[in-house]
Amino acid sequence: MTARGLRWIPVCAVAALWCVALTRAALEIGGAAASVAAVVAGGWALSVLPVHCVPKSRADEQAARARAAARRTVARVRGGRGGAGGRVRQG
């Protein structure tokens, strides 16, 4: 077995232990255990979602706004106008 294959053994072991712990928490009888299981399962589900993904057009618009704001800030710090064009005054 290669080092690449051996790397997956601890990953799978941790995943299996986590699944066993979640199953035990979900099957435990009692109000507190059910709420703990819901929090654990909900937290895992949220961590799997790609919450940082946005459409390319929206990402491009946001990036353009951020660049314009950065240019205005730099112009203001350097003594320029810092207006809508974001040009830095030379001289």
Side-chain angles (χ1 to χ4, degrees):
M1 189 177 269
T2 66
R4 191 173 211 171
L6 290 174
R7 177 175 45 185
W8 285 101
I9 293 173
V11 171
C12 291
V14 169
L17 287 174
W18 183 86
C19 287
V20 168
L22 178 62
T23 303
R24 285 187 66 196
L27 296 177
E28 185 73 33
I29 298 175
S35 63
V36 169
V39 168
V40 170
W44 177 79
L46 286 176
S47 70
V48 175
L49 292 175
V51 294
H52 299 293
C53 296
V54 295
K56 182 164 176 37
S57 60
R58 186 172 167 197
D60 290 343
E61 291 169 7
Q62 183 62 32
R65 273 190 244 124
R67 282 191 297 271
R71 281 192 296 268
R72 286 191 302 271
T73 302
V74 168
R76 201 173 304 123
V77 168
R78 291 184 180 169
R81 288 188 321 226
R87 295 188 182 115
V88 177
R89 186 173 63 194
Q90 299 294 325

